[in-house]
Amino acid sequence: MINNIVKITGIFICLFCTQSLKAQIISLGAKYDKSAMFQASFNIPVLFDKYKPYDFAFGLDYTSSNAKAPSGLQPQFTAMYFLVDDKYKSYNISAGITSGYLFDFNKEFSNQFRVSPYVYMETFPFTIKVGYEYVMPLNQGQFFVSLGIGGGYQFRHFSIM
């Protein structure tokens, strides 16, 4: 199992490194999904264009072991639409959906495909993400709240002058 995770992670890193990286969106923090867990995510936006109200990202999400909910390493794809995104504001708000395949590190759950619609707010350096995580094999879902430090989507409007 660990060998498969290393291979998939390697493939994603190769795909990311062969394209010009316009931004790296990093978040470290805590996620509450039936109990608290550590969460780290790394996403690379595809467009990162301040003139488009939407973007797509490829990334990895890690959540520490949790006996009450699926957790582990998830390669993922995200589509988002910016509801509030202005160079004159010190925050942005987006709605989106993330889907990916979770390599679960718990003995209680198996690997699974997840889909998570969410609302995200960023005011540098803090992030908050509220959503619903639907797990395909279990045919159930639960709400989650994720608080973190990081972000980076506000850099879409960065300019020197």
Side-chain angles (χ1 to χ4, degrees), residues 79-106:
M80 66 202 81
Y81 185 82
F82 294 98
L83 303 169
V84 177
D85 186 40
D86 189 338
K87 70 179 182 178
Y88 300 109
K89 297 197 182 219
S90 62
Y91 64 94
N92 67 23
I93 299 173
S94 65
I97 190 163
T98 297
S99 63
Y101 189 77
L102 176 71
F103 294 97
D104 204 312
F105 297 156
N106 299 316

Side-chain angles (χ1 to χ4, degrees), residues 23-43:
Q24 297 175 356
I25 311 302
I26 296 174
S27 179
L28 297 173
K31 179 178 181 180
Y32 187 84
D33 189 346
K34 292 190 178 178
S35 85
M37 38 187 165
F38 170 77
Q39 179 183 24
S41 63
F42 173 76
N43 292 292

Side-chain angles (χ1 to χ4, degrees), residues 6 16 22 33 41 48 52 55 66 74 78 87 89 95 101 110 125 127 143 160:
V6 170
F16 294 150
K22 299 176 185 173
D33 189 346
S41 63
F48 210 67
K52 294 182 177 156
D55 207 340
N66 179 354
Q74 174 177 301
T78 302
K87 70 179 182 178
K89 297 197 182 219
Y101 189 77
S110 60
T127 64
F143 287 97
I160 302 293

Side-chain angles (χ1 to χ4, degrees), residues 104-161:
D104 204 312
F105 297 156
N106 299 316
K107 294 178 182 177
E108 294 84 7
F109 302 100
S110 60
N111 297 343
Q112 57 215 260
F113 185 74
R114 296 195 297 189
V115 177
S116 305
Y118 67 86
V119 175
Y120 171 87
M121 181 180 170
E122 174 184 316
T123 179
F124 191 76
F126 303 105
T127 64
I128 184 168
K129 190 177 192 179
V130 178
Y132 184 79
E133 200 159 72
Y134 177 73
V135 181
M136 298 264 178
L138 300 177
N139 200 23
Q140 65 183 7
Q142 58 267 355
F143 287 97
F144 70 88
V145 176
S146 175
L147 302 171
I149 296 175
Y153 283 105
Q154 286 185 296
F155 288 113
R156 293 166 19 118
H157 297 289
F158 181 75
S159 65
I160 302 293
M161 302 216 171

